[in-house]
Structures are given as structure tokens and as C-alpha cells.
Amino acid sequence: MIRRNRLLAWAGTLLLAGSAVAAVAAETPREEVKRLVDEGVALVAQKGLAGACNVFARPNSEFWHGDTYVYVINTDKRWVCYPLKPALVGQSPVGLLDTNGGDTVSDQVKLARSSAGEGWVGYIWPNPATGKVQDKESFVKLVPGTDLMVIAGYYK
């Protein structure tokens, strides 16, 4: 009887895990990006910036796959965690305008400093995975009590 109960519990766990995987797989890119940013904010709050950056920087982590990855900029407009190009940490992406001349970073800071502390920014950007210039949308969220913005985006 104990073995049967363990088997049933194990089977139930597999079903729940399968449901969670199916739910994540059913997400739209927009929902996935928002979830990743929300989880990234929680990770920064839990592990601190250095601990979270170690997780964000792993190419096969849940925070980085394909052309979607989580990174962190402070409200002074400096990269503090940038897994795609770690050598840029400490530098400012200000002046990196989208292909229409939009100042994406300033738009992200405005959202982070708004009463909502979060929001979406649309722009046109080169896709590092394809080399094509594409519409991109990023979600930005301020880590409460800090000057850190966790950001991720997706190409449309």
C-alpha cells in the first residue's frame, strides 16, 4: 500500500510538473518576457545583484534562451549586469539609439521611475540571433528600494 501511495504521489507530481511546463510553453513571447522580468526582480531581491547576475549569465539558464535574456541597468543609465556582452558592464548604453533615432534607455528609465515602476518600451533594434533589424518590445521593472531596472525583450 505504501508503494502504491508513493507511485500515485510520484505520478501526481509528474502531472503537475507537466502542466506547469505546458503552461509556460503556451505563453506568448510578451507573457514570457514579463514573467522572466518579474522572476528576475525577485531573484535580485533574494540573492542580491551579484548572485542574480551569476544566474542571468548562464547561457542555458531560465533567464536566457535564444534572443531573449534578462539584463540589469541602473537608473543612472549604466549596465550593471549584461550577460550578452559582460565587457560592457559599467558603461552607459546612452547614445545607442534605435534605428529610428529613439532613445530606448531613457524611455526605460522614465518607466522605472514612474509611479507604476514598470512598463513596456517598443523600438527597432538589430536582432543578434538573425542579424536583421526588427521591431522589439522590452519590459522594464524597477527592483523596489534600489536604482536597478531588470529588463528583457523579444523580437516581433
Side-chain angles (χ1 to χ4, degrees), residues 8 18 39 56 69-70 80 105 107 110 112 118 120 126 135 156:
L8 288 173
E39 291 175 3
F56 298 157
Y69 53 91
V70 171
V80 293
V105 177
D107 293 342
K110 282 179 197 170
E118 63 183 53
W120 290 95
D135 287 330
K156 294 182 177 183

Side-chain angles (χ1 to χ4, degrees), residues 3 14 26 28 35 45 48 55 78 103 109 126 133-134 149 154:
R3 278 191 182 160
L14 285 177
T28 66
R35 178 183 54 78
V55 175
R78 298 220 175 264
D103 185 353
V109 170
V133 174
Q134 294 177 251
M149 305 178 302
Y154 71 98

Side-chain angles (χ1 to χ4, degrees), residues 67-86:
D67 56 20
T68 298
Y69 53 91
V70 171
Y71 61 100
V72 183
I73 295 178
N74 65 24
T75 56
D76 290 333
K77 302 179 184 176
R78 298 220 175 264
W79 277 301
V80 293
C81 177
Y82 195 52
L84 189 63
K85 294 183 182 175

Side-chain angles (χ1 to χ4, degrees), residues 10-92:
W10 183 76
T13 301
L14 285 177
L15 285 172
L16 286 174
S19 305
V21 169
V24 169
E27 286 179 314
T28 66
R30 195 170 210 256
E31 292 166 334
E32 176 191 18
V33 163
K34 184 174 184 318
R35 178 183 54 78
L36 288 174
V37 169
D38 287 341
E39 291 175 3
V41 166
L43 192 64
V44 170
Q46 176 191 16
K47 291 190 174 231
L49 179 62
C53 281
N54 285 334
V55 175
F56 298 157
R58 285 184 286 190
N60 295 320
S61 82
E62 64 272 25
F63 294 98
W64 187 0
H65 44 90
D67 56 20
T68 298
Y69 53 91
V70 171
Y71 61 100
V72 183
I73 295 178
N74 65 24
T75 56
D76 290 333
K77 302 179 184 176
R78 298 220 175 264
W79 277 301
V80 293
C81 177
Y82 195 52
L84 189 63
K85 294 183 182 175
L88 295 177
V89 168
Q91 296 183 29
S92 175

